[in-house]
């Protein structure tokens, strides 16, 4: 660790833990809560006495929140001005006088920083943001996988609604730096709209711009032009690689500087590259060079790194960063066996203590789902959502919390779509990832568990600073049943304790019941005291809290029930507990005020002191346990708890960080029932709630008692007085809300009246490739050289054709002895290449993928010429139609990203080839015409080059032919099918829709275009994907939509694809105001 001391002193302020506030409803069934007063001395057992010393550790808070002033040094740092141009001279900004980012320990504070700002500091516990101790609870979101900027707000609102306060974001060099000297941060490639949406929502951002990002994306995000134009080893200190990434990184800096935390923006840290080893020295010096660019700019937030495992990388030495992080995917990626669990990782804490104990424990990527690969045995993302489902989230996430991690980012929280040429060959179009938010943006079965955890963490500022005390294997924690494993974390200031329990064998499905010895302000004793034990129902974890504060002055002495919400709503301290309906739980807490409502069967001799509450099995729905003018205590089953939301009430716009919890606001409410609650505001006596409805639900609200009117999406709701009387006597509202009938029974239009045209004129005798690119290179920077041929290099990237389908034409003169051609073709896993001689189909070479247990990313086949296929003593042409499935990511082989996509070997059995010509997407990566959709949208099919996939192209002269009829004459080849359909969906509705192909194996591939965007690649012979979600913004909800299918029949046989538009749900709500940006066909730049 590098420690630098600065001598000049100044002041900063460490603000207090946030005051907490919020609430909820339902119905009680079967079970009951039993409440009785108890003298705290009875809880002592035979252990520690309850005395003045013990109780004095928990002074009540009176009046305004406390403020602690801490003297911090003033850090004077000279930074260079930021150039606002999109273009940068490669090396003009570098100053290597500082070899690596400094870590400054601020004298007398215990806090460290980077010497550039005091707005982001840290200690061994957590980050300190603008004086506030913050737990970073984050989810990964890649905006480029949702190319509709208006919908980024939708994802951020769903992240915030789950109690999260941050996202982690990759930017994509391929898209932002498509060719040398071009930096493009427009449209969906922009960062500014994301930053603005984050400010609006109250979400922090850790930016991860690479240049290498991995992310199951082509070349791991490295610009394609670099893979062929740069000779030096990528991701090293090589001079030309260093020059190549300058423009992109400077562009990221230019976009980000105004949106740093210090400027009122959301960006709190920037990650250097991605998952890389610190050895050899060329790697470390590359990191150092990247860091130097940031350090010599106006970027002042900390720099981070993500070690791909327990490798101790980037903590010390050359290239070390300010804050170390480690990625972990403990469950693995075998979605084919979703019920087979890996055990939890047990050494997270000890590893962190051994390598980086003075910094907070940071997980830049913790498993939030799984990717899925091509192949007929691929299980699909629904199975991945089981493998990493709610039980996984509960056990593995809480195990992570037990390691004392305080910066956690779940990869992914929303996966999205790897549309166009975004994916690397190992994955298909969908990047759903089995995430909590599905590819089509619907909330999944995983979401409620994340929300329960998120609201607990937001409610528990004492958890942001905890010491790892020990666990039940070391004797520090005592349990009655060794099948249970419990870790103890304790806040050193408040003594609030968190006992995190799981099964000792984390993979077991057995039920384990145990009791636990706890240390509290009332002494040491065993819990539970009134029920049979704490139950772990198979794959389950729980947090047992002790000396846990809620609201302004209330305390939970202990609880075996789980905490959903703790805080203050209006003037009342509010606590929401939950548990399993099949087991019993209990809590002992202070109950203040005169109860106006008590739970069924509740009796209490006194409201003073600690009062135990027992929750018997069978409770379903919401039960009010205690309702007084000072407190509200609620309890429900876990499923009901998962239907509750706690939207924050933002400050007015004049307040800095008005929408950020702990900064602009410490106020929230509770809302139960709706599919989604996006936000809430209070103006005067009116509470305005905005959200989404799928079905009719009971809306339950706990709000400040000065609220007299509640609106849902702008419409006042009628209060159910009788229902409210069972909930609370102040600040409660209950009403039935239902979505509008406007779209009741909405059915999508049928896709009919297809127009058809042949899209492979290249195999016809009259076709001229005179305007194609001559493939005559004899050298290449790609390190994987041709296998055989005549020395010419036939790699698409060497000719600017790195993406999607590429066509090759090899000319030769034939004699009667010419019988065959050998071709080695490389396209990446799951690729295909179909070969013709003249107009005669020869065969198709098939790649394969991981889930078929037979990986093939290149083939080497002999193609025999059938009788009559050749023109003797005349020119003949071999045509190769090849799909490029993306460039590989970094791997064990150096520069694996420079994949040799193309023809690695060509040889006639006799004679030589003349010219080779190549054609990919029109204009290559330098002059492609569609600047809006970008460099990855198109390939080299004739129809693509002509723009047939774009809205407005005139197909009226084409033949009418249904898609299900396939190609004429059952031929192998490519045809374009185009149709249009109209949508009329009113504002205020979000309607997730997909284009759904037939779900059975046929020898065809197809590319799906919606309003010009390539939104899917269907490989029917491999699968598994046949359903392709497409969002509003690409779909025009109120207008004509164009859908095109490029159908590639890989065998001379009839293929019968079908395609229909399907609806996954109809939601009244949404973010609204979604704009379409679907440029129509234009002849400019096209043949």
């Amino acid at each position: 660790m590098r420690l630098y001391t600065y001598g000049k002193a100044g002041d900063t302020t460490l603000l207090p833990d946030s005051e907490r506030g919020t609430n909820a409803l339902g119905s009680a069934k079967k079970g009951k809560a039993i409440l009785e007063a108890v003298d705290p001395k009875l809880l002592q057992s035979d252990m520690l006495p309850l005395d003045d010393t013990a109780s004095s550790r928990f002074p009540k808070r009176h009046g305004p929140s406390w403020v602690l002033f801490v003297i911090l040094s003033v850090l004077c740092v000279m930074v260079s001005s930021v150039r606002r141009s999109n273009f940068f001279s490669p090396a003009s900004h570098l100053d290597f006088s500082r070899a690596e980012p400094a870590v400054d320990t601020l004298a007398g504070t215990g806090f460290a920083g980077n010497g550039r700002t005091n707005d982001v500091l840290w200690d061994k516990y957590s980050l300190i943001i603008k004086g506030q101790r913050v737990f970073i609870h984050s989810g990964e979101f890649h905006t480029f996988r949702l190319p509709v900027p208006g919908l980024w707000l939708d994802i951020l609102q769903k992240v915030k609604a789950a109690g999260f306060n941050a996202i982690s974001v990759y930017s994509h060099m391929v898209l932002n730096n498509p060719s040398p000297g071009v930096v493009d941060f427009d449209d969906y490639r922009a960062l500014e709209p994301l930053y603005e949406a984050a400010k609006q929502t109250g979400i922090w951002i850790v930016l991860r711009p690479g240049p290498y990002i991995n992310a199951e994306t082509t070349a791991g995000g490295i610009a394609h032009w670099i893979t062929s134009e740069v000779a030096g080893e990528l991701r090293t200190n090589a001079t030309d690689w260093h020059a190549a990434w300058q423009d992109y990184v400077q562009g990221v800096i230019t976009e980000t500087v105004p949106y740093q935390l210090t400027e009122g923006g959301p960006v709190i840290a920037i990650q250097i590259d991605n998952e890389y080893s610190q050895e050899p020295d060329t790697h470390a010096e590359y990191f150092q060079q990247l860091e130097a660019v940031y350090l010599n700019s106006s970027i002042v937030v900390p720099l981070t790194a993500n070690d791909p495992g327990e490798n101790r990388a980037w903590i010390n030495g050359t290239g070390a960063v300010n804050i170390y992080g480690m990625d972990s995917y403990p469950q693995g990626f075998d979605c084919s066996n979703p019920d087979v669990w890996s055990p939890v990782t047990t050494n997270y804490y000890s590893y962190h203590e051994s390598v980086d104990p003075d910094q907070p424990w940071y997980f830049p990527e913790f498993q939030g789902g799984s990717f899925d690969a091509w192949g007929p045995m691929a299980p699909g993302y629904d199975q991945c959502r089981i493998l990493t489902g709610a039980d996984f989230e509960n056990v593995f996430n809480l195990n992570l919390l037990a390691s004392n991690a305080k910066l956690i980012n779940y990869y992914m929280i929303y996966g999205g779509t790897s549309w166009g040429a975004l994916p690397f060959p190992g994955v298909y179009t969908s990047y759903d990832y089995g995430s909590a938010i599905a590819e089509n943006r619907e909330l999944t079965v995983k979401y409620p568990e994340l929300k329960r955890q998120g609201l607990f963490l937001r409610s528990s500022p004492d958890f942001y600073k905890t010491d790892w005390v020990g666990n039940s294997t070391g004797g520090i924690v005592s349990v009655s049943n060794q099948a249970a494993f419990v870790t103890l974390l304790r806040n050193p200031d408040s003594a609030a304790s968190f006992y995190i329990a799981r099964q000792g064998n984390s993979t077991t499905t057995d039920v384990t019941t145990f009791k636990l010895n706890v240390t509290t302000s009332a002494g040491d004793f065993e819990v539970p005291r009134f029920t049979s034990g704490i139950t772990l129902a198979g794959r389950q974890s729980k947090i047992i809290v002790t000396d846990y504060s809620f609201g302004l002055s209330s305390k939970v002495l202990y609880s075996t029930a789980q905490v959903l919400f703790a805080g203050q709503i209006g003037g009342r301290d509010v606590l929401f507990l939950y548990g399993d309906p099949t087991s019993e739980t209990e809590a002992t807490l202070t109950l203040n005020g005169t109860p106006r409502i008590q739970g069924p069967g509740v009796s209490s001799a006194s409201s003073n002191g600690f009062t135990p509450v027992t929750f018997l099995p069978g409770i379903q729905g919401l039960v009010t346990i205690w309702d007084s003018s000072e407190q509200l205590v609620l309890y429900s089953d876990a499923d009901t708890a998962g239907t509750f939301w706690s939207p924050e009430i933002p400050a007015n716009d004049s307040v800095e960080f008005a929408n950020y919890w702990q900064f602009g606001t410490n106020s929230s409410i509770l809302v139960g029932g709706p599919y989604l609650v996006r936000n809430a505001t209070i103006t005067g006596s009116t509470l305005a709630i905005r959200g989404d409805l799928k079905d009719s639900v009971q809306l339950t609200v706990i709000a400040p008692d000065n609220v007299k009117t509640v609106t849902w999406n702008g419409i006042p709701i009628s209060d159910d007085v009788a229902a409210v009387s069972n909930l609370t006597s102040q600040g409660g509202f209950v009403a039935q809300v239902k979505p509008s009938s406007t779209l009741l029974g909405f059915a999508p239009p049928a896709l009919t009246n297809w127009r058809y045209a042949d899209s492979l004129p290249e195999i016809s005798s009259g076709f001229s490739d005179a305007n194609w690119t001559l493939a005559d290179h004899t050298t290449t920077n790609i390190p994987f050289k041709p296998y055989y041929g005549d020395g010419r290099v036939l790699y698409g990237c060497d000719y600017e054709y790195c993406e999607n389908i590429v066509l090759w034409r090899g000319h030769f003169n034939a004699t009667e002895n010419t019988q065959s051609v050998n071709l080695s073709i490389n396209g990446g896993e799951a690729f295909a290449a179909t070969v013709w001689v003249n107009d005669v189909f020869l065969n198709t070479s098939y790649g394969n993928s991981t889930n078929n247990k037979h990986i093939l990313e290149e083939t080497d086949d002999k193609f025999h010429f059938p009788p009559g296929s050749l023109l003797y003593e005349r020119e003949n042409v071999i045509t190769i139609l090849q799909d490029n499935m993306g460039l590989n990511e970094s791997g064990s082989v150096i520069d694996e990203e420079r994949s040799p996509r193309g023809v690695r070997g060509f040889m006639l059995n006799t004679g030589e080839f003349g010219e080779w010509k190549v054609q990919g997407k029109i204009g290559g990566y330098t002059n492609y015409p569609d600047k809006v959709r970008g460099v990855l949208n198109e390939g080299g099919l004739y129809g693509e080059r002509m723009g047939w996939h774009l809205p407005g192209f005139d197909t009226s002269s084409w033949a009418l032919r249904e898609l299900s009829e396939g190609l004429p004459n059952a031929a192998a080849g490519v045809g374009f099918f185009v149709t249009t359909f109209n949508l009329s969906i009113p504002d205020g509705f979000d309607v997730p829709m997909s284009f759904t192909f037939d779900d059975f194996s046929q020898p065809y591939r197809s590319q799906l275009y919606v309003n010009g965007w390539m939104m899917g690649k269907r490989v029917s012979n491999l699968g598994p994907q046949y359903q392709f979600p497409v969002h509003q913004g690409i779909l025009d909800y109120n207008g004509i939509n164009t859908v095109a299918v490029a159908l590639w029949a890989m065998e001379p046989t009839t293929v019968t694809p079908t395609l229909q538009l399907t609806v996954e749900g109809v939601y009244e709500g949404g973010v609204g105001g979604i704009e379409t940006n679907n440029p129509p066909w234009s002849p400019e730049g096209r043949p």
Side-chain angles (χ1 to χ4, degrees):
M1 193 63 60
R2 289 82 48 223
L3 302 179
Y4 295 86
T5 302
Y6 296 81
K8 197 170 182 180
D11 291 333
T12 189
T13 302
L14 180 63
L15 299 177
D17 293 339
S18 59
E19 297 175 2
R20 295 161 282 175
T22 328
N23 211 347
L25 176 74
S27 61
K29 299 178 182 177
K30 298 183 181 178
K32 61 180 181 178
I34 301 174
L35 185 68
E36 57 186 39
V38 64
D39 187 332
K41 293 181 180 179
L42 297 178
L43 298 177
Q44 293 176 54
S45 183
D46 56 353
M47 298 181 181
L48 293 179
L50 179 65
D51 56 22
D52 291 339
T53 303
S55 60
S56 68
R57 288 154 37 195
F58 303 94
K60 286 189 176 182
R61 297 178 184 173
H62 296 283
S65 301
W66 52 269
V67 179
L68 173 63
F69 292 92
V70 181
I71 298 177
L72 299 179
S73 57
V74 175
L75 308 176
C76 301
V77 180
M78 297 298 293
V79 294
S80 61
S81 61
V82 179
R83 300 174 66 184
R84 305 302 297 180
S85 169
N86 274 342
F87 301 94
F88 307 89
S89 57
S92 60
H93 318 281
L94 302 185
D95 176 3
F96 291 101
S97 59
R98 295 184 65 185
E100 54 196 64
V103 174
D104 175 38
T105 299
L106 302 169
T109 70
F111 301 138
N114 66 355
R116 297 169 72 81
T117 178
N118 286 349
D119 282 355
V120 186
L121 302 172
W122 57 89
D123 59 12
K124 69 177 184 178
Y125 298 109
S126 71
L127 288 189
I128 309 295
I129 296 178
K130 283 191 168 291
Q132 288 269 28
R133 186 175 294 284
V134 177
F135 185 111
I136 296 298
H137 199 211
S138 172
E140 187 81 12
F141 168 41
H142 302 157
T143 54
F144 52 83
R145 285 186 160 119
L146 181 59
V148 183
L151 288 175
W152 299 347
L153 181 63
D154 176 67
I155 301 301
L156 266 58
Q157 288 180 345
K158 288 169 179 171
V159 170
K160 184 68 174 286
F164 284 52
N165 61 1
I167 58 170
S168 170
V169 180
Y170 282 138
S171 56
H172 202 289
M173 187 188 193
V174 176
L175 296 167
N176 293 122
N177 185 198
S179 58
V182 176
V183 176
D184 181 0
F185 284 93
D186 293 330
D187 304 307
Y188 68 89
R189 295 167 293 276
L191 290 173
E192 182 178 358
L194 174 68
Y195 295 158
E196 289 290 345
K199 289 175 61 178
Q200 178 181 339
T201 311
I203 289 287
W204 305 117
I205 291 177
V206 175
L207 181 65
R208 308 203 294 161
Y212 182 83
I213 61 172
N214 203 68
E216 288 74 57
T217 189
T218 179
I222 292 175
H224 283 174
W225 63 268
I226 290 176
T227 66
S228 61
E229 294 194 26
V230 169
E233 184 180 340
L234 307 181
R235 303 178 75 196
T236 70
N237 60 352
T239 302
D240 53 355
W241 161 248
H242 173 262
W245 52 257
Q246 289 291 318
D247 288 353
Y248 167 68
V249 172
Q250 290 291 348
V252 168
I253 290 171
T254 300
E255 297 296 311
T256 304
V257 162
Y259 287 97
Q260 295 177 97
L261 172 75
T262 53
E263 305 299 320
V267 179
I268 59 172
I270 294 177
Q271 180 178 294
I272 300 298
D273 205 77
N274 190 81
E275 293 185 333
Y276 208 34
S277 62
Q278 201 169 358
E279 297 177 348
D281 290 346
T282 55
H283 292 191
E285 290 171 9
Y286 160 52
F287 261 52
Q288 184 183 66
Q289 291 171 342
L290 269 171
E291 291 158 6
V293 173
Y294 290 109
L295 293 173
N296 285 281
S297 76
S298 294
I299 292 292
V300 298
V301 295
L303 303 179
T304 72
N306 60 331
D307 193 344
E310 296 181 1
N311 304 310
R312 303 168 181 252
W314 313 115
I315 300 172
N316 297 293
T318 303
V321 295
N322 299 133
I323 301 175
Y324 168 80
M326 186 188 80
D327 294 352
S328 183
Y329 291 81
Q331 185 75 309
F333 305 97
D334 185 8
C335 300
S336 297
N337 297 285
D339 295 322
V340 178
W341 274 28
S342 299
V344 298
T345 302
T346 58
N347 73 328
Y348 285 145
Y349 172 75
S350 61
Y351 169 74
H352 178 248
E353 285 299 292
S354 70
V355 301
D356 199 26
D358 296 327
Q359 290 197 343
W361 197 193
Y362 176 31
F363 283 83
E365 295 181 26
F366 188 78
Q367 186 162 14
S370 173
F371 64 84
D372 193 35
W374 295 96
M377 292 189 295
Y381 282 114
D382 286 343
Q383 296 297 100
C384 296
R385 195 166 282 113
I386 296 173
L387 178 72
T388 61
D391 290 348
F392 165 85
E393 292 173 322
N394 178 245
V395 172
F396 283 76
N397 293 5
L398 266 60
N399 182 65
L400 194 63
L401 296 180
S403 75
N404 222 14
K406 303 302 185 192
L407 294 85
I408 298 173
N409 177 61
Y410 297 111
Y411 188 103
M412 305 285 300
I413 197 165
Y414 172 74
T417 304
S418 290
W419 56 277
L422 268 174
F424 94 117
V427 296
Y428 43 90
T429 300
S430 176
Y431 199 67
D432 179 278
Y433 215 79
S435 301
I437 305 172
E439 180 184 7
N440 66 1
R441 297 179 292 106
E442 287 186 296
L443 306 181
T444 74
V445 294
K446 294 176 59 172
Y447 186 89
E449 174 60 22
L450 276 189
K451 181 171 61 169
R452 287 188 288 262
Q453 295 174 21
L455 293 181
F456 164 75
L457 289 170
R458 197 192 73 182
S459 297
S460 307
D462 279 347
F463 192 77
Y464 305 171
K465 180 183 181 181
T466 58
D467 291 317
W468 189 93
V469 179
N471 58 45
S472 53
T473 61
I476 300 297
V477 179
S478 177
V479 293
S480 64
N481 183 347
Q482 295 305 307
F485 180 89
V486 181
T487 300
L488 170 58
L489 306 180
R490 178 175 291 131
N491 185 295
D493 301 326
S494 69
S497 296
F498 304 86
Y499 294 82
I500 303 177
R502 63 168 171 83
Q503 301 272 11
N505 173 10
S506 60
T507 68
T508 187
T509 58
D510 295 341
V511 175
T512 294
T513 301
F514 67 98
K515 291 194 173 187
L516 169 70
N517 285 342
V518 298
T519 297
T520 75
S521 58
D524 291 7
F525 48 86
E526 187 178 64
V527 300
R529 298 185 60 80
F530 305 100
T531 58
S532 59
I534 301 166
T535 299
L536 298 175
R539 292 168 170 173
Q540 187 178 39
S541 287
K542 291 184 175 180
I543 301 178
I544 296 92
V545 299
T546 65
D547 290 318
Y548 179 87
S549 298
F550 68 96
L552 186 64
S553 59
S554 299
K555 185 176 293 296
V556 177
L557 183 66
Y558 73 86
S559 176
T560 66
Q562 304 301 285
V563 176
L564 175 72
F565 172 87
Q568 198 171 56
I569 298 179
R572 294 199 293 175
D573 296 347
V574 179
L575 178 68
F576 191 150
L577 302 173
Y578 67 94
D580 301 324
T582 57
S583 61
E584 53 192 358
T585 59
E586 69 183 50
T588 296
L589 63 161
T590 57
L591 294 177
N592 302 324
T594 302
R596 297 167 296 193
I597 300 175
Q598 293 184 169
V602 171
S603 64
S604 174
S606 170
S607 61
N608 296 319
F610 293 115
T611 304
V613 185
T614 301
F615 308 102
L616 299 181
I619 295 177
Q620 292 182 320
L622 187 69
V623 178
T624 299
I625 302 303
W626 188 264
D627 176 53
S628 73
S629 61
E630 298 178 40
Q631 285 181 319
L632 179 64
V633 180
L634 304 168
Y635 182 88
S636 79
D637 63 284
D639 287 346
T640 299
T643 67
F644 272 80
W645 310 85
S646 182
E648 300 160 13
I649 307 300
N652 62 60
D653 291 341
S654 64
V655 176
E656 187 179 34
F657 300 106
N659 300 301
Y660 285 82
W661 184 253
Q662 297 182 240
F663 298 89
T665 178
N666 290 322
S667 300
S668 65
I669 61 172
L670 280 170
V671 182
Y675 169 80
L676 172 66
V677 174
R678 294 183 180 273
N679 50 56
T681 58
I682 296 177
T683 303
S685 62
T686 298
L687 168 64
I689 306 171
R690 303 204 68 85
D692 295 11
L693 290 177
K694 185 177 184 180
D695 303 299
S696 177
V697 295
Q698 180 174 277
L699 181 72
T700 302
V701 178
I702 300 295
D705 56 7
N706 65 326
V707 169
K708 306 303 178 185
T709 303
V710 176
T711 64
W712 172 260
N713 289 343
I715 300 174
I717 62 172
S718 299
D719 201 10
D720 184 334
V721 176
V724 172
S725 67
N726 294 319
L727 171 65
T728 180
S729 57
Q730 67 184 75
F733 291 82
V734 178
Q736 200 70 22
V737 292
K738 61 181 180 179
S740 166
S741 61
T742 303
L743 287 182
L744 188 66
F746 171 75
L751 303 179
T752 58
N753 299 315
W754 292 91
R755 295 282 180 167
Y756 168 81
D758 175 63
S759 186
L760 196 65
E762 292 89 351
I763 64 172
S764 62
S765 59
F767 183 82
S768 171
D769 57 25
N771 292 325
W772 285 24
T773 301
L774 179 65
D776 61 352
H777 294 188
T778 57
T779 61
T780 180
N781 287 322
I782 296 172
F784 310 100
K785 305 307 180 185
Y787 293 130
Y788 53 86
D790 58 15
R792 282 178 285 183
V793 178
L794 306 186
Y795 296 164
C797 281
D798 278 325
Y799 303 95
E800 296 198 13
Y801 305 130
C802 289
E803 302 87 24
N804 298 312
I805 287 174
V806 176
L807 291 104
W808 302 88
R809 281 169 58 89
H811 298 254
F812 66 97
N813 286 321
T815 69
E816 293 182 358
N817 293 323
T818 307
Q819 299 177 349
S820 63
V821 62
N822 282 72
L823 297 171
S824 178
I825 305 171
N826 182 298
E829 293 178 33
F831 90 102
T834 302
V835 181
W836 289 261
V837 62
N838 300 322
D839 61 355
V840 177
F841 169 79
L842 296 181
N843 215 333
T844 293
S845 289
Y846 292 98
N848 224 320
S849 72
T850 47
N851 272 311
N852 203 34
K853 312 296 184 185
H854 181 47
I855 299 172
L856 280 177
E857 69 172 287
E858 62 184 23
T859 56
D860 192 4
D861 294 325
K862 178 178 287 188
F863 298 84
H864 295 274
F865 300 135
S869 61
L870 297 180
L871 303 172
Y872 297 138
E873 307 303 333
R874 294 170 58 188
E875 184 178 74
N876 296 263
V877 180
I878 292 286
T879 300
I880 304 170
L881 173 68
Q882 176 213 342
D883 203 353
N884 177 349
M885 304 301 287
L887 306 186
N888 292 352
E889 298 178 315
S890 285
S892 58
V893 179
I894 292 175
D895 276 355
E896 198 168 336
E897 305 95 322
R898 303 175 187 267
S899 306
R901 301 293 185 246
V903 183
R904 295 194 70 182
F906 56 93
M907 182 174 62
L908 296 164
N909 72 299
T910 182
E912 302 291 338
F913 276 97
E915 283 188 339
W916 275 95
K917 292 292 192 75
V918 61
Q919 181 65 63
K921 70 169 172 288
I922 198 71
Y925 56 59
T926 300
N927 294 309
Y928 60 94
D930 193 343
K931 303 302 184 186
V932 170
R933 298 178 183 90
V935 70
L936 297 181
N937 190 60
E938 296 178 9
L941 288 175
Y942 182 79
E944 292 177 294
R945 303 189 320 257
M946 300 298 292
W948 292 353
H949 57 296
L950 296 171
F953 184 85
D954 184 5
T955 62
S956 60
S957 63
W958 291 15
L960 283 168
R961 184 178 183 85
E962 290 304 308
L963 177 63
S964 59
E965 296 181 77
L967 301 190
N969 305 313
V974 181
F976 246 75
F977 293 81
V978 178
T979 191
T980 61
F981 62 92
N982 188 66
L983 288 176
S984 181
I985 299 175
D987 292 341
F989 286 89
D990 189 2
V991 185
M993 286 183 274
S994 293
F995 289 83
T996 305
F997 284 88
D998 54 285
D999 182 20
F1000 58 94
S1001 178
Q1002 300 185 70
Y1004 77 80
R1005 304 168 79 92
S1006 62
Q1007 295 179 169
L1008 170 70
Y1009 302 87
V1010 180
N1011 290 326
W1013 298 80
M1014 189 201 293
M1015 295 306 299
K1017 185 174 288 189
R1018 165 77 170 137
V1019 180
S1020 181
N1021 64 300
L1022 283 181
Q1025 188 175 7
Y1026 62 93
Q1027 189 170 37
F1028 299 86
V1030 178
H1031 304 278
Q1032 182 186 10
I1034 292 173
L1035 281 174
D1036 187 343
Y1037 268 24
N1038 288 280
I1040 296 173
N1041 295 268
T1042 299
V1043 56
V1045 175
L1047 178 63
W1048 173 359
M1050 297 181 291
E1051 305 284 351
T1053 187
T1054 300
V1055 294
T1056 57
T1058 60
L1059 183 66
Q1060 56 183 328
L1061 184 61
T1062 56
V1063 173
E1064 276 81 56
V1066 175
Y1067 300 93
E1068 185 179 61
V1071 292
I1074 305 302
E1075 298 179 356
T1076 59
N1077 189 11
N1078 303 323
W1081 178 83
S1082 167
E1084 185 176 351
R1086 299 191 181 274

